[in-house]
Amino acid sequence: MRSGPHGATIAGCAALLLWAFLALLARLAQPLPPLLLTGLAFAVGGTLGLVVVAARGRLGALRQSPLVWLHGVGGLAGYHALYFAALALAPPVEANLLNYTWPLLIVLLSAPIRGLPLGPRRLAGVGLGALGAVLLLAGGMQGGFGGGAPLGYALALAAGLTWALYSVLAGTPRLAGVPTEAVAGFCLAAAALGLLGHALFEAPAAWPGAGPWLAVLLLGTGPVGAAFFLWDVGMKRGDPRLLGTLAYAVPVASTLLLATFGGGHLSPAMLLATALVVGGGILAATARREAAG
């Protein structure tokens, strides 16, 4: 999967575009339970990825150390299981916004894990993002704290933290050289874990209609499939400064798509929270660009 810097950056942008549809497609795949949805989507993405890797004669890339497998499978399977569970238990728009604190968490965790400095602009960005999350929890939510919503909000934040850790750790010396083709194996292992977890912990699901099955296929083809390969290419060989900045547009696009087609409406409080999260991300990304440039 070789490409020049410009093409690799475009690949990373394509991953961001696909991730904008993740929440909407996950919502449309309900009433499939979260672990079953995770397993099925990863099975589609991993199978398609394996076919491509095999056609390229690169199956040897799947031979990795246990540490690499723990990072790849734990990050992919753990994040999506938490994320899909959050969408099932909490109002989807608010859960989606809380999940998208991961760009800010990546900035915050880069200091202790990778030794990157945190200047005033980065810290201000983290503060704005945290303020947006607090605003959602304090009074901007449609359903308040009734029912299963508190657990859903906690799972959404846990999902954001999981993805931030997965992303930051991927750039450490022991993991940065892992070939992109290995992602196919991570997806298939995540699929197996999701399906096993469904069999052990979730009630048997009723056979879904055509709509949820189509959503599963689209999830596995795009946001839970091709996006991981594209993102890996973009982050390793493209312009990470540009991709880091553009990543903060994903929660805006995702939330607008979800509110328009998947459930919920955009209240003034949610719009303000979105602006705070995205504005904080832009501050942090600009600081990173200045330091790197």
Side-chain angles (χ1 to χ4, degrees), residues 57 67 123 148 181 229-230 236 245 258-259 269:
L67 175 65
L123 292 175
E181 289 85 354
F229 297 89
L230 293 167
K236 288 179 178 176
T245 302
L258 187 61

Side-chain angles (χ1 to χ4, degrees), residues 155-283:
L155 292 175
L157 288 171
L161 177 60
T162 298
W163 190 252
L165 285 169
Y166 169 80
S167 301
V168 174
L169 289 172
T172 58
R174 297 185 67 180
L175 296 170
V178 177
T180 297
E181 289 85 354
V183 174
F186 303 155
C187 288
L188 289 174
L193 287 176
L195 295 176
L196 177 62
H198 166 67
L200 293 176
F201 303 116
E202 292 178 338
W207 190 260
W213 277 120
L214 178 60
V216 168
L217 290 174
L218 291 175
L219 273 171
T221 303
V224 191
F228 298 130
F229 297 89
L230 293 167
W231 187 246
D232 192 80
V233 172
M235 293 302 289
K236 288 179 178 176
R237 294 188 288 277
D239 184 349
R241 297 169 297 178
L242 177 59
L243 291 173
T245 302
L246 294 177
Y248 297 100
V250 176
V252 177
S254 177
T255 301
L256 290 175
L257 284 169
L258 187 61
T260 303
F261 299 106
H265 65 279
L266 289 173
S267 68
M270 282 187 283
L271 288 172
L272 178 58
T274 302
L276 288 171
V277 172
V278 176
I282 291 173
L283 272 178

Side-chain angles (χ1 to χ4, degrees), residues 68-86:
V68 171
W69 280 92
L70 178 63
H71 170 261
V73 179
L76 296 184
Y79 167 72
H80 286 87
L82 291 167
Y83 182 49
F84 293 152

Side-chain angles (χ1 to χ4, degrees), residues 65-170:
S65 69
L67 175 65
V68 171
W69 280 92
L70 178 63
H71 170 261
V73 179
L76 296 184
Y79 167 72
H80 286 87
L82 291 167
Y83 182 49
F84 293 152
L87 291 177
L89 293 174
V93 171
E94 290 87 337
N96 192 47
L97 281 174
L98 289 175
N99 161 73
Y100 276 112
T101 55
W102 61 258
L104 296 174
L105 290 173
I106 287 175
V107 176
L108 188 62
L109 292 172
S110 293
I113 294 177
R114 297 178 60 178
L116 300 178
L118 287 178
R121 187 184 292 265
R122 289 188 181 89
L123 292 175
V126 171
L128 283 179
L131 182 59
V134 169
L135 176 63
L136 284 176
L137 292 172
M141 297 170 288
Q142 301 170 31
F145 287 98
L151 177 59
Y153 299 139
L155 292 175
L157 288 171
L161 177 60
T162 298
W163 190 252
L165 285 169
Y166 169 80
S167 301
V168 174
L169 289 172

Side-chain angles (χ1 to χ4, degrees), residues 15-64:
L16 295 175
L17 178 61
L18 290 173
W19 282 330
F21 289 87
L22 178 62
L24 174 60
L25 291 174
R27 188 69 174 176
L28 294 177
Q30 293 180 6
L32 288 174
L35 291 175
L36 177 58
L37 177 58
T38 300
L40 291 175
F42 272 112
V44 174
T47 300
L48 293 176
L50 188 65
V51 169
V52 175
V53 172
R56 293 171 54 87
R58 291 281 294 163
L59 287 175
L62 274 61
R63 292 194 295 267
Q64 299 295 331

